[in-house]
Amino acid sequence: MKFIRICAIVSLILLVGCSVNSSTKEYSDETMREAQANVTSYIENNYANIETLTVTEPYEAEMGIMTVDGKANGEAFSVSLDTDLMVAGIAIQSKQFPEKKEECLERICDD
């Protein structure tokens, strides 16, 4: 009987701990604007023929990384940002996504 109680208590502690860590982090307006501006600048400077570009508000992904989703010319992408709000990685979700600019194939173009 003690074993069942101990297992129940341990399970309860684990469940409560998991729910605390899964809460969403809220960012300040300034942080959100800077993150969106950095993502917009990155896409515009590194990809050719961008006609339309929209980005969502940043959110904290499951692994605790700030992420911004968006669409370039109607094609979806997701950008992970580092602690300095700079682009750490991009996941392109379409084969029709605009091509990278030739001068930006081997380096990140800043402007």
Side-chain angles (χ1 to χ4, degrees):
M1 198 60 143
K2 283 185 175 184
F3 179 73
I4 294 174
R5 284 185 183 171
I6 291 173
C7 285
I9 290 171
V10 169
S11 297
L12 183 63
I13 290 170
L14 289 174
L15 288 174
V16 170
C18 290
S19 67
V20 168
N21 289 334
S22 67
S23 64
T24 58
K25 184 175 184 178
E26 292 193 24
Y27 301 106
S28 70
D29 290 342
E30 181 181 339
T31 299
M32 289 193 299
R33 281 192 299 275
E34 185 177 349
Q36 289 172 315
N38 288 350
V39 170
T40 298
S41 175
Y42 178 86
I43 297 295
E44 289 175 343
N45 291 329
N46 287 277
Y47 291 88
N49 304 316
I50 301 295
E51 296 171 10
T52 62
L53 179 62
T54 58
V55 294
T56 64
E57 288 188 359
Y59 62 94
E60 186 174 315
E62 289 182 23
M63 296 300 290
I65 298 170
M66 181 187 283
T67 303
V68 177
D69 296 331
K71 289 189 177 187
N73 299 348
E75 303 300 326
F77 65 89
S78 183
V79 173
S80 300
L81 302 171
D82 62 19
T83 56
D84 295 326
L85 302 181
M86 301 306 295
V87 174
I90 182 168
I92 297 171
Q93 301 167 3
S94 168
K95 290 183 180 184
Q96 289 79 34
F97 197 82
E99 295 289 324
K100 262 198 146 185
K101 293 178 181 177
E102 189 171 328
E103 63 271 20
C104 304
L105 290 174
E106 295 184 21
R107 67 177 183 86
I108 294 174
C109 296
D110 292 331
D111 45 80

XYZ file of all heavy atoms in Angstrom:
853
model
N 0.814 -1.183 0.000
C 0.000 0.000 0.000
C 0.865 1.257 0.000
O 0.539 2.226 -0.645
C -0.928 -0.030 1.226
C -2.080 0.910 1.097
S -3.052 0.471 -0.333
C -4.630 0.791 0.236
N 1.981 1.228 0.773
C 2.894 2.363 0.797
C 3.516 2.593 -0.576
O 3.712 3.729 -0.988
C 4.000 2.156 1.834
C 3.580 2.395 3.240
C 4.782 2.287 4.147
C 4.377 2.640 5.562
N 5.536 2.643 6.462
N 3.807 1.511 -1.267
C 4.405 1.614 -2.592
C 3.480 2.371 -3.544
O 3.942 3.222 -4.308
C 4.722 0.214 -3.141
C 5.320 0.244 -4.514
C 6.627 0.665 -4.693
C 4.575 -0.136 -5.618
C 7.185 0.710 -5.963
C 5.123 -0.099 -6.881
C 6.434 0.323 -7.053
N 2.190 2.090 -3.511
C 1.216 2.762 -4.377
C 1.141 4.244 -4.034
O 1.108 5.097 -4.921
C -0.156 2.090 -4.271
C -0.075 0.670 -4.847
C -1.224 2.902 -4.988
C -1.311 -0.151 -4.673
N 1.142 4.569 -2.760
C 1.095 5.979 -2.344
C 2.352 6.722 -2.804
O 2.271 7.838 -3.295
C 0.957 6.086 -0.823
C -0.424 5.779 -0.335
C -0.514 6.020 1.148
N -1.849 5.645 1.619
C -2.191 5.569 2.870
N -1.294 5.841 3.808
N -3.404 5.231 3.210
N 3.498 6.096 -2.637
C 4.754 6.726 -3.063
C 4.753 6.950 -4.570
O 5.124 8.019 -5.048
C 5.969 5.881 -2.612
C 6.096 5.941 -1.082
C 7.249 6.374 -3.274
C 7.141 5.016 -0.516
N 4.309 5.967 -5.330
C 4.236 6.103 -6.794
C 3.263 7.218 -7.181
O 3.541 7.998 -8.092
C 3.808 4.781 -7.432
S 5.124 3.545 -7.443
N 2.141 7.294 -6.496
C 1.161 8.336 -6.783
C 1.733 9.719 -6.497
O 1.568 10.658 -7.284
C -0.110 8.109 -5.978
N 2.449 9.871 -5.396
C 3.040 11.159 -5.035
C 4.127 11.549 -6.039
O 4.187 12.691 -6.505
C 3.591 11.121 -3.595
C 2.417 11.050 -2.600
C 4.457 12.340 -3.300
C 2.831 10.801 -1.166
N 4.982 10.607 -6.411
C 6.037 10.879 -7.391
C 5.424 11.274 -8.735
O 5.870 12.229 -9.383
C 6.976 9.661 -7.532
C 7.906 9.822 -8.725
C 7.766 9.456 -6.255
N 4.387 10.574 -9.146
C 3.713 10.896 -10.405
C 3.116 12.299 -10.359
O 3.225 13.066 -11.319
C 2.619 9.881 -10.703
O 3.165 8.607 -10.885
N 2.493 12.639 -9.269
C 1.896 13.965 -9.109
C 2.966 15.052 -9.176
O 2.785 16.064 -9.858
C 1.130 14.047 -7.787
C 0.400 15.356 -7.514
C -0.672 15.587 -8.562
C -0.208 15.339 -6.131
N 4.080 14.850 -8.533
C 5.177 15.820 -8.561
C 5.700 16.000 -9.986
O 5.925 17.121 -10.437
C 6.309 15.403 -7.591
C 5.834 15.554 -6.145
C 7.571 16.225 -7.836
C 6.777 14.954 -5.117
N 5.878 14.904 -10.696
C 6.350 14.979 -12.079
C 5.362 15.719 -12.973
O 5.750 16.542 -13.801
C 6.627 13.581 -12.633
C 7.847 12.874 -12.058
C 7.924 11.443 -12.576
C 9.116 13.631 -12.408
N 4.094 15.443 -12.828
C 3.079 16.118 -13.651
C 3.033 17.607 -13.368
O 2.935 18.425 -14.284
C 1.707 15.482 -13.426
C 1.513 14.093 -14.014
C 0.170 13.518 -13.584
C 1.607 14.146 -15.527
N 3.097 17.983 -12.114
C 3.087 19.401 -11.756
C 4.347 20.076 -12.288
O 4.279 21.177 -12.835
C 2.957 19.584 -10.221
C 3.194 21.028 -9.820
C 1.596 19.120 -9.752
N 5.474 19.433 -12.175
C 6.726 19.990 -12.682
C 6.697 20.204 -14.179
O 7.156 21.224 -14.680
N 6.142 19.277 -14.905
C 6.045 19.405 -16.359
C 5.119 20.545 -16.746
O 5.376 21.276 -17.690
C 5.565 18.100 -16.987
S 6.803 16.791 -16.912
N 4.025 20.708 -16.053
C 3.090 21.769 -16.415
C 3.662 23.143 -16.103
O 3.387 24.105 -16.805
C 1.750 21.577 -15.706
O 1.895 21.761 -14.321
N 4.514 23.260 -15.100
C 5.148 24.542 -14.790
C 6.117 24.920 -15.899
O 6.163 26.061 -16.339
C 5.886 24.471 -13.427
C 6.776 25.681 -13.220
C 4.888 24.346 -12.298
N 6.888 23.976 -16.397
C 7.863 24.265 -17.443
C 7.230 24.518 -18.801
O 7.847 25.113 -19.655
C 8.858 23.107 -17.567
C 9.791 23.046 -16.387
O 10.038 24.056 -15.745
N 10.294 21.864 -16.093
N 6.020 24.098 -19.031
C 5.413 24.251 -20.344
C 4.637 25.549 -20.493
O 4.005 25.775 -21.503
C 4.489 23.064 -20.642
O 3.371 23.104 -19.766
N 4.691 26.427 -19.493
C 3.975 27.689 -19.602
C 4.620 28.556 -20.678
O 5.813 28.490 -20.917
C 3.976 28.418 -18.256
O 5.298 28.755 -17.907
N 3.816 29.372 -21.323
C 4.324 30.217 -22.386
C 4.942 31.473 -21.802
O 4.446 32.033 -20.839
C 3.208 30.604 -23.368
O 2.180 31.279 -22.634
C 2.646 29.391 -24.069
N 6.026 31.883 -22.394
C 6.737 33.066 -21.936
C 6.198 34.262 -22.706
O 6.020 34.198 -23.911
C 8.232 32.884 -22.194
C 9.090 33.995 -21.681
C 10.546 33.634 -21.882
C 11.444 34.691 -21.279
N 12.850 34.312 -21.426
N 5.968 35.344 -22.005
C 5.506 36.546 -22.672
C 6.683 37.490 -22.842
O 7.514 37.637 -21.952
C 4.387 37.200 -21.860
C 3.137 36.347 -21.865
C 1.937 37.105 -21.338
O 1.937 38.346 -21.393
O 1.012 36.444 -20.883
N 6.746 38.135 -23.998
C 7.828 39.045 -24.316
C 7.310 40.482 -24.302
O 6.144 40.738 -24.592
C 8.406 38.715 -25.699
C 8.944 37.309 -25.796
C 8.257 36.331 -26.501
C 10.143 36.966 -25.186
C 8.753 35.038 -26.591
C 10.643 35.679 -25.274
C 9.941 34.725 -25.978
O 10.440 33.454 -26.065
N 8.202 41.421 -24.013
C 7.824 42.830 -24.022
C 7.552 43.270 -25.458
O 8.015 42.646 -26.424
C 8.937 43.683 -23.417
O 10.058 43.715 -24.290
N 6.818 44.374 -25.599
C 6.512 44.903 -26.934
C 7.795 45.232 -27.689
O 7.912 44.968 -28.886
C 5.631 46.147 -26.828
C 4.220 45.824 -26.376
O 3.809 44.644 -26.467
O 3.511 46.758 -25.932
N 8.762 45.807 -26.995
C 10.034 46.174 -27.625
C 10.766 44.934 -28.133
O 11.289 44.920 -29.249
C 10.909 46.930 -26.634
C 12.237 47.375 -27.207
C 13.099 48.106 -26.198
O 12.578 48.625 -25.197
O 14.322 48.149 -26.425
N 10.800 43.887 -27.327
C 11.452 42.634 -27.725
C 10.757 42.030 -28.931
O 11.413 41.569 -29.871
C 11.460 41.637 -26.548
O 12.191 42.212 -25.465
C 12.096 40.317 -26.938
N 9.426 42.042 -28.930
C 8.685 41.489 -30.063
C 8.954 42.282 -31.339
O 9.179 41.698 -32.402
C 7.183 41.449 -29.753
C 6.834 40.404 -28.711
S 5.080 40.027 -28.554
C 4.396 41.596 -28.079
N 8.959 43.617 -31.239
C 9.229 44.444 -32.420
C 10.634 44.196 -32.957
O 10.836 44.074 -34.170
C 9.049 45.927 -32.096
C 7.608 46.382 -32.072
C 7.489 47.902 -32.032
N 8.116 48.491 -30.844
C 7.527 48.614 -29.669
N 6.289 48.209 -29.512
N 8.173 49.166 -28.654
N 11.618 44.111 -32.058
C 13.000 43.879 -32.488
C 13.143 42.505 -33.141
O 13.811 42.367 -34.166
C 13.956 44.010 -31.310
C 15.413 43.901 -31.723
C 16.389 44.108 -30.571
O 15.976 44.536 -29.482
O 17.586 43.811 -30.788
N 12.533 41.489 -32.567
C 12.600 40.140 -33.145
C 11.968 40.121 -34.532
O 12.552 39.577 -35.478
C 11.894 39.143 -32.226
N 10.792 40.728 -34.672
C 10.123 40.769 -35.972
C 10.953 41.554 -36.997
O 11.059 41.149 -38.153
C 8.728 41.381 -35.833
C 7.762 40.467 -35.117
C 6.437 41.140 -34.817
O 6.387 42.276 -34.354
N 5.353 40.423 -35.080
N 11.552 42.660 -36.565
C 12.384 43.462 -37.469
C 13.611 42.677 -37.920
O 13.994 42.728 -39.100
C 12.804 44.759 -36.781
N 14.234 41.937 -37.006
C 15.411 41.140 -37.366
C 15.064 40.029 -38.348
O 15.811 39.766 -39.280
C 16.070 40.560 -36.115
C 16.777 41.609 -35.281
O 16.953 42.752 -35.711
N 17.170 41.242 -34.077
N 13.931 39.393 -38.142
C 13.503 38.330 -39.062
C 13.179 38.927 -40.434
O 13.606 38.407 -41.466
C 12.292 37.556 -38.496
C 11.688 36.635 -39.543
C 12.712 36.768 -37.261
N 12.456 40.031 -40.447
C 12.110 40.689 -41.713
C 13.376 41.084 -42.472
O 13.504 40.809 -43.665
C 11.235 41.933 -41.439
O 10.028 41.506 -40.807
C 10.911 42.671 -42.714
N 14.329 41.702 -41.774
C 15.587 42.118 -42.397
C 16.355 40.908 -42.936
O 16.879 40.943 -44.060
C 16.433 42.867 -41.370
O 17.692 43.182 -41.903
N 16.414 39.842 -42.158
C 17.127 38.638 -42.589
C 16.538 38.071 -43.883
O 17.275 37.777 -44.829
C 17.094 37.578 -41.491
C 17.774 36.290 -41.882
C 19.145 36.137 -41.716
C 17.051 35.241 -42.436
C 19.780 34.961 -42.089
C 17.676 34.065 -42.816
C 19.038 33.927 -42.642
O 19.663 32.767 -43.036
N 15.232 37.927 -43.922
C 14.586 37.359 -45.122
C 14.798 38.278 -46.325
O 15.181 37.825 -47.402
C 13.075 37.114 -44.872
C 12.871 36.083 -43.754
C 12.371 36.687 -46.160
C 13.362 34.684 -44.065
N 14.559 39.569 -46.146
C 14.700 40.513 -47.264
C 16.133 40.594 -47.770
O 16.356 40.748 -48.965
C 14.218 41.896 -46.844
C 12.711 41.969 -46.680
C 12.231 43.303 -46.135
O 13.044 44.075 -45.573
O 11.016 43.579 -46.263
N 17.119 40.501 -46.871
C 18.524 40.637 -47.274
C 19.135 39.360 -47.833
O 20.122 39.428 -48.550
C 19.376 41.120 -46.094
C 19.064 42.540 -45.723
O 18.691 43.349 -46.553
N 19.204 42.848 -44.452
N 18.582 38.202 -47.503
C 19.204 36.943 -47.908
C 18.464 36.176 -48.990
O 19.015 35.238 -49.560
C 19.382 36.044 -46.674
C 20.485 36.552 -45.779
O 21.654 36.277 -46.010
N 20.135 37.332 -44.770
N 17.221 36.545 -49.284
C 16.435 35.821 -50.277
C 16.003 36.757 -51.396
O 15.654 37.923 -51.164
C 15.221 35.150 -49.617
C 15.643 34.013 -48.716
C 15.957 34.250 -47.378
C 15.787 32.731 -49.208
C 16.388 33.223 -46.557
C 16.224 31.691 -48.389
C 16.524 31.953 -47.068
O 16.966 30.935 -46.267
N 16.036 36.247 -52.624
C 15.739 37.048 -53.815
C 14.240 37.104 -54.086
O 13.489 36.200 -53.721
C 16.459 36.452 -55.020
N 13.840 38.177 -54.736
C 12.476 38.348 -55.248
C 11.401 38.244 -54.172
O 10.356 37.624 -54.378
C 12.193 37.339 -56.364
C 13.215 37.443 -57.484
O 13.565 38.536 -57.916
N 13.706 36.311 -57.951
N 11.623 38.857 -53.020
C 10.605 38.892 -51.979
C 9.602 39.985 -52.334
O 9.944 41.165 -52.375
C 11.221 39.167 -50.593
C 12.245 38.091 -50.234
C 10.138 39.283 -49.537
C 11.668 36.705 -50.057
N 8.377 39.582 -52.634
C 7.330 40.541 -52.984
C 6.430 40.831 -51.789
O 6.058 41.970 -51.559
C 6.521 40.007 -54.162
C 7.349 39.866 -55.434
C 6.610 39.144 -56.532
O 5.389 38.902 -56.406
O 7.260 38.809 -57.542
N 6.068 39.796 -51.041
C 5.261 39.974 -49.837
C 5.916 39.225 -48.695
O 6.469 38.137 -48.884
C 3.816 39.444 -50.023
O 3.872 38.049 -50.290
C 3.094 40.171 -51.142
N 5.854 39.833 -47.511
C 6.466 39.217 -46.341
C 5.634 39.554 -45.115
O 5.358 40.724 -44.850
C 7.900 39.732 -46.160
C 8.686 39.201 -44.967
C 8.866 37.697 -45.060
C 10.028 39.898 -44.870
N 5.211 38.522 -44.414
C 4.497 38.715 -43.157
C 5.162 37.855 -42.090
O 5.637 36.756 -42.376
C 3.005 38.304 -43.265
O 2.933 36.935 -43.667
C 2.259 39.163 -44.269
N 5.218 38.392 -40.869
C 5.765 37.631 -39.750
C 4.790 37.718 -38.580
O 4.095 38.713 -38.410
C 7.166 38.136 -39.317
C 8.185 37.891 -40.410
C 7.141 39.593 -38.947
N 4.746 36.653 -37.792
C 3.857 36.608 -36.634
C 4.587 37.139 -35.408
O 5.784 37.404 -35.453
C 3.402 35.164 -36.351
O 4.559 34.383 -36.001
C 2.699 34.553 -37.540
N 3.848 37.241 -34.311
C 4.474 37.620 -33.052
C 5.346 36.465 -32.572
O 5.002 35.300 -32.748
C 3.411 37.938 -32.003
C 2.690 39.229 -32.259
C 1.772 39.621 -31.117
O 1.678 38.882 -30.113
O 1.142 40.675 -31.238
N 6.473 36.789 -31.938
C 7.344 35.734 -31.420
C 6.651 34.917 -30.332
O 5.788 35.421 -29.621
C 8.517 36.509 -30.817
C 8.454 37.863 -31.405
C 7.021 38.116 -31.728
N 7.055 33.662 -30.254
C 6.576 32.789 -29.192
C 7.725 31.894 -28.764
O 8.727 31.772 -29.469
C 5.375 31.955 -29.649
C 5.677 31.017 -30.797
C 6.043 29.698 -30.564
C 5.584 31.446 -32.119
C 6.318 28.829 -31.602
C 5.854 30.592 -33.174
C 6.225 29.290 -32.909
O 6.502 28.439 -33.948
N 7.578 31.293 -27.587
C 8.592 30.380 -27.098
C 8.256 28.970 -27.559
O 7.210 28.436 -27.210
C 8.673 30.441 -25.570
C 9.806 29.628 -25.018
C 9.982 29.812 -23.522
O 9.936 30.958 -23.044
O 10.144 28.786 -22.846
N 9.151 28.378 -28.328
C 8.963 27.020 -28.821
C 9.186 26.038 -27.672
O 9.625 26.407 -26.587
C 9.921 26.736 -29.964
N 8.898 24.778 -27.920
C 8.968 23.743 -26.886
C 10.324 23.656 -26.198
O 10.403 23.372 -25.016
C 8.603 22.384 -27.481
C 7.139 22.270 -27.812
C 6.787 20.908 -28.364
O 7.521 19.940 -28.093
O 5.779 20.813 -29.061
N 11.381 23.902 -26.911
C 12.717 23.794 -26.324
C 13.164 25.108 -25.685
O 14.319 25.258 -25.308
C 13.730 23.365 -27.388
C 13.460 21.980 -27.944
S 13.506 20.671 -26.712
C 15.219 20.618 -26.330
N 12.265 26.078 -25.569
C 12.580 27.341 -24.912
C 13.219 28.378 -25.809
O 13.760 29.362 -25.334
N 13.158 28.181 -27.107
C 13.781 29.088 -28.068
C 12.725 30.034 -28.623
O 11.629 29.608 -28.996
C 14.428 28.292 -29.216
C 15.521 27.388 -28.662
C 14.973 29.202 -30.292
C 16.067 26.394 -29.659
N 13.069 31.336 -28.693
C 12.147 32.292 -29.301
C 12.040 31.973 -30.789
O 13.048 31.794 -31.470
C 12.623 33.727 -29.113
C 11.652 34.738 -29.719
S 12.252 36.433 -29.700
C 11.987 36.852 -27.987
N 10.809 31.908 -31.283
C 10.549 31.542 -32.665
C 9.573 32.527 -33.284
O 8.654 33.000 -32.626
C 9.957 30.116 -32.731
O 10.875 29.218 -32.090
C 9.731 29.653 -34.145
N 9.794 32.833 -34.564
C 8.891 33.696 -35.330
C 8.532 32.949 -36.605
O 9.413 32.492 -37.331
C 9.559 35.046 -35.670
C 8.638 35.895 -36.527
C 9.953 35.792 -34.408
N 7.241 32.812 -36.860
C 6.767 32.192 -38.096
C 6.411 33.290 -39.085
O 6.168 34.437 -38.706
C 5.534 31.329 -37.827
C 5.833 30.146 -36.922
O 6.982 29.663 -36.930
O 4.914 29.699 -36.223
N 6.354 32.923 -40.348
C 5.970 33.908 -41.343
C 5.751 33.290 -42.701
O 5.836 32.071 -42.875
N 5.476 34.173 -43.657
C 5.302 33.768 -45.050
C 5.999 34.779 -45.942
O 5.852 35.985 -45.756
C 3.821 33.680 -45.418
C 3.112 32.516 -44.773
C 1.725 32.351 -45.322
C 1.090 31.108 -44.694
N -0.184 30.794 -45.296
N 6.759 34.267 -46.899
C 7.407 35.088 -47.915
C 6.816 34.669 -49.250
O 6.895 33.500 -49.628
C 8.908 34.890 -47.906
N 6.188 35.605 -49.930
C 5.498 35.307 -51.188
C 4.498 34.161 -51.013
O 4.318 33.331 -51.886
C 6.486 34.987 -52.304
C 7.423 36.125 -52.615
O 7.226 37.253 -52.172
N 8.466 35.854 -53.368
N 3.887 34.103 -49.837
C 2.883 33.084 -49.548
C 3.432 31.740 -49.115
O 2.671 30.818 -48.842
N 4.758 31.608 -49.017
C 5.400 30.345 -48.650
C 5.865 30.411 -47.195
O 6.562 31.343 -46.795
C 6.575 30.041 -49.584
C 6.195 29.994 -51.056
C 5.159 28.940 -51.394
O 5.173 27.862 -50.757
O 4.343 29.182 -52.286
N 5.530 29.404 -46.400
C 5.763 29.424 -44.953
C 7.215 29.164 -44.572
O 7.933 28.423 -45.243
C 4.867 28.390 -44.279
N 7.612 29.803 -43.461
C 8.920 29.575 -42.865
C 8.806 29.772 -41.360
O 7.840 30.338 -40.858
C 9.990 30.512 -43.445
C 9.763 31.966 -43.139
C 10.273 32.548 -41.990
C 9.045 32.765 -44.012
C 10.074 33.894 -41.716
C 8.833 34.111 -43.746
C 9.348 34.681 -42.594
N 9.819 29.291 -40.639
C 9.887 29.451 -39.192
C 11.336 29.764 -38.831
O 12.249 29.064 -39.274
C 9.423 28.168 -38.501
O 9.414 28.341 -37.110
N 11.542 30.828 -38.051
C 12.889 31.268 -37.699
C 13.095 31.137 -36.195
O 12.258 31.576 -35.408
C 13.120 32.734 -38.134
C 14.454 33.248 -37.631
C 13.037 32.861 -39.646
N 14.225 30.542 -35.808
C 14.637 30.474 -34.408
C 15.618 31.598 -34.151
O 16.505 31.855 -34.968
C 15.318 29.140 -34.115
O 14.447 28.076 -34.375
N 15.453 32.270 -33.007
C 16.327 33.389 -32.661
C 17.181 33.037 -31.452
O 16.735 32.322 -30.555
C 15.486 34.628 -32.355
C 14.576 35.087 -33.495
C 13.640 36.185 -33.026
C 15.398 35.575 -34.670
N 18.412 33.566 -31.424
C 19.272 33.343 -30.268
C 18.957 34.373 -29.184
O 18.033 35.174 -29.317
C 20.755 33.352 -30.670
C 21.221 34.684 -31.240
O 20.551 35.720 -31.024
O 22.276 34.693 -31.899
N 19.720 34.386 -28.117
C 19.439 35.275 -26.995
C 19.648 36.749 -27.340
O 19.134 37.622 -26.649
C 20.305 34.915 -25.771
O 21.684 34.942 -26.164
C 19.947 33.536 -25.240
N 20.389 37.042 -28.415
C 20.591 38.418 -28.881
C 19.556 38.820 -29.919
O 19.691 39.854 -30.574
C 22.000 38.583 -29.472
C 23.088 38.400 -28.440
O 22.871 38.779 -27.279
O 24.164 37.881 -28.802
N 18.545 37.968 -30.116
C 17.463 38.173 -31.085
C 17.952 38.147 -32.529
O 17.328 38.722 -33.416
C 16.695 39.471 -30.803
C 16.064 39.585 -29.422
C 15.321 40.892 -29.279
C 15.133 38.417 -29.147
N 19.065 37.475 -32.759
C 19.578 37.304 -34.115
C 19.153 35.924 -34.621
O 18.928 35.008 -33.836
C 21.103 37.424 -34.136
C 21.609 38.768 -33.605
S 20.895 40.223 -34.411
C 21.503 40.050 -36.064
N 19.049 35.784 -35.932
C 18.602 34.537 -36.532
C 19.612 33.431 -36.249
O 20.790 33.549 -36.585
C 18.381 34.709 -38.048
C 18.067 33.374 -38.705
C 17.266 35.715 -38.307
N 19.137 32.366 -35.603
C 19.976 31.209 -35.309
C 19.742 30.093 -36.322
O 20.628 29.300 -36.600
C 19.702 30.705 -33.898
N 18.531 30.042 -36.875
C 18.204 29.005 -37.846
C 16.875 29.297 -38.504
O 16.042 30.021 -37.963
N 16.700 28.736 -39.680
C 15.450 28.920 -40.413
C 14.980 27.576 -40.950
O 15.785 26.782 -41.432
C 15.600 29.953 -41.555
C 14.269 30.162 -42.284
C 16.697 29.571 -42.515
C 14.242 31.350 -43.225
N 13.686 27.333 -40.817
C 13.074 26.128 -41.381
C 12.130 26.575 -42.486
O 11.145 27.266 -42.229
C 12.311 25.369 -40.304
N 12.462 26.217 -43.701
C 11.640 26.561 -44.856
C 10.698 25.402 -45.104
O 11.121 24.252 -45.189
C 12.528 26.852 -46.077
C 13.394 28.075 -45.782
C 11.679 27.046 -47.323
C 14.457 28.342 -46.797
N 9.417 25.710 -45.221
C 8.411 24.660 -45.270
C 7.816 24.459 -46.650
O 6.735 23.893 -46.781
C 7.330 24.990 -44.240
C 7.921 25.099 -42.841
C 6.981 25.729 -41.838
O 5.854 26.048 -42.138
N 7.470 25.913 -40.629
N 8.523 24.923 -47.695
C 7.990 24.799 -49.040
C 9.132 24.751 -50.058
O 10.130 25.452 -49.919
C 7.084 26.002 -49.347
O 6.779 26.065 -50.707
N 8.942 23.957 -51.100
C 9.934 23.906 -52.177
C 9.859 25.147 -53.066
O 10.787 25.441 -53.794
C 9.730 22.644 -53.020
C 10.109 21.381 -52.289
C 9.974 20.161 -53.162
C 10.375 18.927 -52.365
N 10.347 17.726 -53.173
N 8.756 25.881 -52.994
C 8.583 27.077 -53.807
C 9.072 28.339 -53.088
O 8.864 29.445 -53.575
C 7.116 27.266 -54.198
C 6.600 26.265 -55.214
C 6.269 24.915 -54.595
O 5.825 24.845 -53.459
N 6.506 23.846 -55.323
N 9.716 28.186 -51.941
C 10.224 29.334 -51.191
C 11.234 30.071 -52.064
O 11.979 29.450 -52.822
C 10.887 28.870 -49.893
C 11.080 29.968 -48.894
C 10.044 30.359 -48.064
C 12.296 30.628 -48.803
C 10.217 31.383 -47.140
C 12.475 31.643 -47.877
C 11.438 32.023 -47.056
N 11.280 31.402 -51.971
C 12.251 32.152 -52.787
C 13.679 31.642 -52.587
O 14.068 31.242 -51.490
C 12.104 33.591 -52.256
C 10.698 33.648 -51.742
C 10.432 32.291 -51.168
N 14.457 31.690 -53.667
C 15.848 31.226 -53.634
C 16.718 32.206 -52.856
O 16.443 33.405 -52.817
C 16.392 31.101 -55.063
C 15.699 30.045 -55.894
C 16.037 28.640 -55.444
O 17.194 28.397 -55.042
O 15.141 27.782 -55.482
N 17.787 31.675 -52.267
C 18.763 32.537 -51.606
C 19.492 33.360 -52.666
O 19.759 32.881 -53.769
C 19.781 31.702 -50.826
C 19.455 31.600 -49.376
C 20.633 31.172 -48.565
C 20.505 31.889 -47.232
N 21.620 31.672 -46.374
N 19.830 34.587 -52.316
C 20.624 35.418 -53.205
C 21.991 34.769 -53.370
O 22.541 34.211 -52.420
C 20.774 36.818 -52.628
C 19.480 37.599 -52.578
C 19.695 38.962 -51.952
C 18.395 39.742 -51.886
N 18.571 41.053 -51.208
N 22.552 34.864 -54.574
C 23.830 34.209 -54.862
C 24.934 34.677 -53.923
O 25.717 33.871 -53.423
C 24.234 34.460 -56.312
C 25.426 33.641 -56.735
C 25.695 33.732 -58.211
O 24.744 33.887 -58.985
O 26.881 33.644 -58.575
N 24.987 35.970 -53.639
C 26.044 36.493 -52.774
C 25.854 36.097 -51.308
O 26.744 36.300 -50.481
C 26.146 38.021 -52.898
C 24.904 38.763 -52.457
C 23.861 39.002 -53.546
O 23.877 38.290 -54.580
O 23.035 39.897 -53.356
N 24.707 35.501 -50.982
C 24.409 35.116 -49.601
C 24.435 33.608 -49.386
O 24.018 33.119 -48.339
C 23.040 35.672 -49.193
S 22.908 37.449 -49.388
N 24.914 32.855 -50.373
C 24.962 31.396 -50.256
C 25.982 30.928 -49.226
O 25.765 29.940 -48.538
C 25.252 30.759 -51.612
C 24.131 30.850 -52.648
C 24.598 30.320 -53.997
C 22.894 30.099 -52.163
N 27.113 31.620 -49.136
C 28.183 31.179 -48.246
C 28.327 32.034 -46.997
O 29.137 31.740 -46.133
C 29.492 31.129 -49.006
C 29.469 30.070 -50.107
C 30.795 29.923 -50.813
O 31.834 30.322 -50.240
O 30.803 29.426 -51.939
N 27.563 33.117 -46.917
C 27.610 33.983 -45.736
C 26.236 34.607 -45.542
O 25.430 34.630 -46.448
C 28.675 35.073 -45.892
C 28.324 36.084 -46.992
C 29.364 37.191 -47.066
N 28.986 38.174 -48.053
C 28.179 39.209 -47.829
N 27.661 39.385 -46.641
N 27.876 40.054 -48.789
N 26.007 35.113 -44.344
C 24.740 35.793 -44.055
C 24.879 37.238 -44.479
O 25.830 37.932 -44.108
C 24.402 35.710 -42.549
C 24.146 34.261 -42.167
C 23.200 36.576 -42.219
C 23.944 34.038 -40.681
N 23.951 37.699 -45.289
C 23.960 39.093 -45.745
C 23.201 39.949 -44.735
O 22.054 39.641 -44.399
C 23.311 39.198 -47.122
S 24.239 38.314 -48.392
N 23.855 40.977 -44.245
C 23.248 41.831 -43.233
C 22.477 43.005 -43.813
O 21.584 43.522 -43.191
C 24.315 42.362 -42.260
C 24.901 41.262 -41.407
O 24.184 40.277 -41.137
O 26.076 41.373 -41.028
N 22.859 43.491 -44.960
C 22.128 44.611 -45.562
C 22.218 44.611 -47.057
O 22.792 43.878 -47.690
C 22.622 45.970 -45.027
C 24.129 46.110 -44.963
O 24.755 46.377 -45.991
O 24.645 45.958 -43.875
